[in-house]
Amino acid sequence: MDRLIEAFEQVSSSEAHLVIAGTGPDETALRQQAAAHPRIHFLGFVNQSRMPICYRMLSVFALPSFSETWGLSVNEALACGTRCMVSDRVGCGPDLFRNPNLGAIVAWDRPAEWAPVLDTMLDHPHLEGESHDAFLKTYSYQAMLDALPKLWSE
């Protein structure tokens, strides 16, 4: 998150806000890093039942993790119609972002390159109908159930 805060400082939109949900051992240091930025907000713990509200209020969901086997929160954000930016250390990126309208993958170790990606995404924040519909259809319960017989026969 410290890198996301650094990248956010370079975002060109004066209307953009960075909202960080969750708690953890780095929270105090992150709050100190962001203390001088009136457009950076910490929500603290958010119950999972409330996360769809958070996802829908966002223009872009960012998951800049150092290590994330999949990143289910990306699926959740996409299901809520929010485009995503993930680091190249988040496992779901190559599978979910075959359609580049859904999101972008950035190099984890080059946060200076994140701000231009965020700027572009902020200019076109929400998933367009066809992209969102295709995502929902591809990852629906029915699509998963339909795929099981093929997987079992292999």
Side-chain angles (χ1 to χ4, degrees):
M1 281 299 161
D2 58 331
R3 292 171 183 233
L4 183 57
I5 292 171
E6 289 174 30
F8 180 75
E9 293 171 347
Q10 305 305 313
V11 168
S12 63
S13 172
S14 61
E15 300 294 317
H17 289 253
L18 177 61
V19 179
I20 299 172
T23 60
D26 296 332
E27 182 179 3
T28 300
L30 293 171
R31 285 181 180 271
Q32 288 173 349
Q33 179 184 359
H37 303 285
R39 294 182 297 119
I40 298 178
H41 315 278
F42 290 83
L43 299 180
F45 171 79
V46 179
N47 187 285
Q48 65 185 21
S49 66
R50 308 290 292 169
M51 286 307 297
I53 296 166
C54 291
Y55 294 133
R56 287 185 188 110
M57 77 176 195
L58 301 174
S59 298
V60 177
F61 173 76
L63 187 63
S65 296
F66 168 73
S67 177
E68 195 80 44
T69 303
W70 180 259
L72 186 58
S73 57
V74 176
N75 294 66
E76 295 169 351
L78 289 169
C80 291
T82 303
R83 294 179 76 202
C84 299
M85 181 189 84
V86 301
S87 77
D88 56 0
R89 304 275 182 103
V90 176
C92 68
D95 288 319
L96 296 183
F97 301 155
R98 289 181 190 151
N99 176 343
N101 292 324
L102 296 176
I105 301 171
V106 296
W108 177 83
D109 58 348
R110 295 197 299 268
E113 297 174 8
W114 299 1
V117 173
L118 288 168
D119 280 330
T120 299
M121 295 181 89
L122 287 167
D123 287 341
H124 307 285
H126 297 288
L127 293 174
E128 299 300 323
E130 287 183 22
S131 297
H132 187 230
D133 293 345
F135 172 80
L136 293 176
K137 184 177 178 182
T138 301
Y139 292 96
S140 70
Y141 288 120
Q142 190 61 51
M144 298 299 122
L145 289 172
D146 292 346
L148 286 176
K150 181 182 177 194
L151 292 172
W152 286 332
S153 66
E154 292 178 356

